Amino acid sequence: MVEAVPVSGSLRGRLMITLIGGAAVLALLLFLALRSYAAQVAQEGQDSILRASVASILDAAVLRRGQVEIDIPYASFSMLSTASDDRVFYAVHQDLTLVSGYEGLLPQSNNQTAPDGFQTVDFLNTSLRLATASRMLVGESDRTRITVSVGQTQDALAGTLNRISRNAAYFGAGFFALAVVLSLWATSATIGQLKRLTTSVARRGPQDLSPFAKPVPSEMLPLVRSLNSLMGRLDQSLNQSEDFIAEAAHRVRTPLATVRSYAEATLQRVNRGENREALRSMIRAIDESSRAAGQLLDHAMITFRADHLDRQDIDLVELVQDLVLRLTPVADMRDVDLRVHGAAQLPYSGDPILLQNAVRNVIDNALKYAPTESAVDITLSDEPLPQIQICDQGPGFPPAEMDTLASRFKRGNNAEGIIGSGLGLTIAQDVAVAHGGTLTLTNRVEGGACVSLQL
């Protein structure tokens, strides 16, 4: 069972949030910058017209016999006309005395006046952009200073700024949308490299522990090097485990076989009944230990190899016939006939070592339970899938226990007095599952048990 890996969020999500958040901030800054620049340009345009209006009025002022005379040019106000019909206010002062225009229209000292004489003031509950300039008039015997102030409402300017702001908002939204699309593309391109590496790992078979050799981005190089190092260590560990299992099987079986041969030789030389019975019990215990140790090691090897099958193109008929040839002496000792039926050839791509272990254990079980002077039938077929069926003429499987007999160390209630460890059917089932198949247990109508190994 694969343990759940704690998740700390999505790398794609983090990258998207970072890129889109940055794009949103940039779009907002762009909007504010465009609007500020447009407002400055529009204000400078209005100020230039106001300055020209003030200058034209100042140029029309003359001093005659101590009196200020001003013939205000028509163009002084016509140049201030706008599409929004902004209102224009003016005032002419002679030494702070109103000569013409609106009373109280003067620069306000509490406002911050620009160095060029412009300021925004409230006049008659209206916001005005006010331009002010002074000039010294010199007469025949005296001189005086006149001050001209011209103010204009800013409705047209506000409308212009609204249009500019709207266009800037559209531009900012377009920039943001483009940035989102580019962020999606950049995220997919970046995460795509990691996904390709993940797919490459997932597609590998369990036996493929070769290092990754395809080019990867430099940022992923430490990860790939770590994976290659891990797979190298894993491959070495698996090879050592396989060698250990093979060596352990040899070192366990050989001493037991030697002890059994000595016990049999001693049995032939002993005449006393109680000694012969003790030797027979010893031989039986050695057989049980040898079989249990062998099947435990077989099960360990199958568990190890099941995740990395060494598939080869083999002929199942040839594999079964070879096993029958090796098990025939054991069958002859029990007066049981091994018979092979079915196809002449049955090609298959599988792990020959595991398949031999599975079939050998099932045949061995059949030989143990088959009565004397009976037969064990081995049938091979490829319909609908490759299948090896082994049937004996023994007592059959206990019907109530048939669903659990393939479990580890599980033996039927009819196995008393028969040497076994309860791993034979487990080994066969694990091999079938490793090859994508199943193990099926049935009883024959005429008596006996059948084990079908479907691949």
Side-chain angles (χ1 to χ4, degrees), residues 32-47:
L32 294 176
L34 286 175
R35 190 179 186 283
S36 176
Y37 180 72
Q40 180 182 353
V41 171
Q43 190 68 73
E44 289 178 353
Q46 186 186 36
D47 290 349

Side-chain angles (χ1 to χ4, degrees), residues 36-37 73 140 172 202 206 219 260 277 281 329 335 377 423 428:
S36 176
Y37 180 72
E140 296 177 354
E219 292 80 5
R260 190 183 192 284
E277 187 62 30
S281 298
D335 292 330
D377 294 304
L423 284 174

Side-chain angles (χ1 to χ4, degrees), residues 18 57 88 99 146 151 160 174 183 197 285 328 337 349 352 384 404 411 426:
T18 301
I57 295 174
V88 178
V99 175
I146 66 170
T160 301
S183 298
L197 177 62
T328 295
D337 187 19
S349 177
T404 60
R411 304 190 71 194
T426 304

Side-chain angles (χ1 to χ4, degrees), residues 260 263-264 267 276-292 411 415-420:
R260 190 183 192 284
E264 286 184 339
L267 179 63
R276 292 177 63 84
E277 187 62 30
L279 286 171
R280 288 192 185 97
S281 298
M282 180 186 297
I283 292 172
R284 181 182 178 85
I286 291 171
D287 287 342
E288 289 182 352
S289 299
S290 177
R291 181 178 179 82
R411 304 190 71 194
E416 187 176 355
I418 298 177
I419 296 174

